[in-house]
Amino acid sequence: MKTDGRASLFEALSIVEDSLADGYHSRRALPDFAVIIESPSTGLRMEPAPANDSLEAIAAEAARCQKCRLSAGRNRVVPGLGSTRPLVMVIGEGPGAEEDKTGIPFIGPAGQLLDKMLAAIGLSRETNCFIGNIVKCRPPMNRDPAPDEQAACMPYLERQIAILKPRAFLAVGRIPAQALLGAKTGIGRLRGERHEFHGLPLVATYHPSALLRNEELKRPAWEDLKLLKSILDELDQR
Ligand code: URA
């Protein structure tokens, strides 16, 4: 734990106080040493962010990682990319062929559509979003990442969240929506409403590759983006 004085401890405690009254929505940045996690089963608690952790350290560890079978088939690990003080953390499923070649998330056709979707509500990876994935190595033939592969990779995502401290999450596709919400229902049931993850708002929507296959999903996806935008506007007013 960073000991940068009592001021940041009091700042954290006052945010906890607000959170107990009203849920955690504060736009005030949390002090570096803490991330607030709210879970319906355990209530609010504070978890220390490892003192010397960094996005670079996570990327370097992920590049050497052999915790699951996906490491055997990867060309490049795809640790994630974007703003280091993001308003929104966008979480996809896992790298595809283009991403595996380049190490850059969402760079293929689905990624280009994702960028347009984000731009429509004033978001971009260059300015205010960080783009990550549930698994950081490409599943063979783009199959779903298996539960043990997701579990093996989750600590990297948790560490990224602790460092980045986003204000909201956008889960794109069934796999991230189910993984982050601990749900088994399909994306059609998970989308369209505000959820909470780590005590912060989370909106789930269709994966852009599903939108490329099925035009009819574009309208509900647009509704989801408008929902996210309204949540961000609400956070802005606090
Ligand atoms: N699909 C994903 O879910 N993530 C990527 O990075 C690319 C495509």
Side-chain angles (χ1 to χ4, degrees):
M1 165 166 145
K2 256 194 205 166
T3 50
D4 54 351
R6 285 198 219 173
S8 57
L9 178 60
F10 287 137
E11 171 70 1
L13 289 174
S14 85
I15 294 173
V16 171
E17 197 175 50
D18 288 355
S19 305
L20 288 172
D22 191 26
Y24 177 63
H25 307 292
S26 177
R27 295 214 57 176
R28 281 183 288 165
L30 290 171
D32 280 350
F33 69 81
V35 58
I36 291 191
I37 297 184
E38 190 185 281
S39 109
S41 51
T42 59
L44 192 66
R45 64 195 166 88
M46 294 184 71
E47 288 233 328
N52 299 317
D53 209 3
S54 68
L55 295 175
E56 293 75 15
I58 295 167
E61 268 179 58
R64 296 190 300 269
C65 180
Q66 297 193 335
K67 287 189 192 142
C68 83
R69 62 189 84 74
L70 296 183
S71 61
R74 73 171 171 237
N75 288 304
R76 301 278 299 264
V77 77
V78 183
L81 196 71
S83 163
T84 53
R85 277 286 165 197
L87 191 54
V88 177
M89 187 156 179
V90 180
I91 304 180
E93 176 177 326
E98 293 293 313
E99 291 78 18
D100 176 66
K101 263 189 232 150
T102 58
I104 299 170
F106 278 103
I107 200 179
Q112 288 159 28
L113 178 56
L114 177 66
D115 284 340
K116 283 189 195 152
M117 292 161 66
L118 295 175
I121 54 165
L123 300 175
S124 78
R125 59 177 93 194
E126 288 81 20
T127 59
N128 51 12
C129 288
F130 185 92
I131 317 260
N133 277 304
I134 293 294
V135 294
K136 298 186 178 348
C137 298
R138 184 188 182 200
M141 313 295 288
N142 297 339
R143 67 158 169 76
D144 289 352
D148 63 323
E149 295 160 353
Q150 296 182 34
C153 219
M154 196 56 88
Y156 295 121
L157 190 64
E158 292 286 354
R159 285 166 60 193
Q160 290 177 319
I161 293 168
I163 292 167
L164 291 163
K165 302 183 185 82
R167 304 273 166 48
F169 296 95
L170 177 66
V172 287
R174 174 179 57 85
I175 295 286
Q178 289 180 337
L180 300 177
L181 297 173
K184 288 202 168 14
T185 36
I187 187 65
R189 308 261 315 256
L190 293 171
R191 61 150 298 275
E193 61 181 294
R194 176 185 177 140
H195 300 272
E196 297 241 317
F197 177 63
H198 280 217
L200 296 169
L202 180 148
V203 171
T205 193
Y206 294 109
H207 194 282
S209 60
L211 304 183
L212 290 172
R213 288 193 301 269
N214 182 354
E215 287 272 320
E216 283 179 17
L217 300 180
K218 284 191 174 166
R219 184 179 289 271
W222 175 233
E223 295 301 324
D224 298 331
L225 291 171
K226 285 196 293 186
L227 171 63
L228 177 61
K229 174 80 169 83
S230 73
I231 291 168
L232 298 175
D233 289 345
E234 195 185 297
L235 290 177
D236 229 4
Q237 281 157 20
R238 284 174 183 264

